[in-house]
Amino acid sequence: MTVEPHTCPALVLNADFRPLSYFPLSLWPWQETVKAVFLERVNIVSEYDLKVHSPSMQMRLPSVISLKEYVPTKRSAAFTRFNVFLRDRFICQYCGEASPTHDLTFDHVVPRSRGGRTTWENVVAACGPCNLSKGSRMPRECRMMPRRLPYRPTTWQLQENGRSFPPNFLHESWRDFLYWDTELDPY
């Protein structure tokens, strides 16, 4: 089996050795990684066995890199449909069923027709059937209370939720950096 460079992204860590992002996982394609190495913007932490060549040199492709300068994380999370789903862990807040992103909608707890606004504090993830069932009624009118009241999450809370949803591919060299700040079991 031949390994191709395009199948070798690098995990990007901040200068404190935490991933820039857990969800989506902060990955750079090999070309961007090699460029950053030559511009001396990153440190190589771990490498793949695969080498790339130019006419004058060769190098092993980095599998984990760390930025030389710390990039502060945003304090407030962007209000997006995806981040609402991530805050609610891709679970319908009415029936409690987990769903893939393409099967989720978001529901206004206080319907817009009743003065509800499209804000963190009024929107929850909902599956299509529950959203249709609730319609433009208030939760108490249809006896459909959200399992968790909507709230404005911090960027840290979204990152923590994102850690629960690992990507399909995790290179073994990444594992120590993805969960290094998880509390260890004392046993």
Side-chain angles (χ1 to χ4, degrees), residues 9-11 19 21-27 159 161-171 174-175 178-179:
L11 174 64
S21 171
Y22 282 98
F23 205 82
L25 191 57
S26 53
L27 301 176
Q159 290 289 356
N161 284 0
R163 289 172 55 167
S164 301
F165 301 97
N168 295 334
F169 172 76
L170 288 175
H171 190 264
W174 303 353
R175 296 183 194 275
L178 293 178
Y179 306 106

Side-chain angles (χ1 to χ4, degrees), residues 91-105:
I91 295 172
C92 173
Q93 293 303 294
Y94 296 112
C95 70
E97 292 294 317
S99 297
T101 305
H102 63 271
D103 288 341
L104 286 172
T105 63

Side-chain angles (χ1 to χ4, degrees), residues 141-155:
E141 293 172 358
C142 57
R143 292 190 169 96
M144 292 180 70
M145 296 301 293
R147 292 170 181 260
R148 287 179 54 182
L149 291 176
Y151 64 95
R152 177 184 303 271
T154 64
T155 302

Side-chain angles (χ1 to χ4, degrees), residues 2-13:
T2 305
V3 178
E4 297 292 325
H6 70 273
T7 64
C8 299
L11 174 64
V12 183
L13 307 176

Side-chain angles (χ1 to χ4, degrees), residues 81-97:
R81 179 180 299 267
F82 183 82
N83 281 347
V84 168
F85 299 159
L86 185 57
R87 176 199 66 192
D88 294 344
R89 299 178 161 269
F90 304 95
I91 295 172
C92 173
Q93 293 303 294
Y94 296 112
C95 70
E97 292 294 317

Side-chain angles (χ1 to χ4, degrees), residues 11 13 36 57 69 74 78 87 90 95 109 130-131 135-136 157:
L11 174 64
L13 307 176
M57 54 97 39
E69 292 189 27
K74 294 180 181 176
R87 176 199 66 192
F90 304 95
C95 70
V109 177
C130 285
N131 200 343
S136 61
Q157 288 169 320

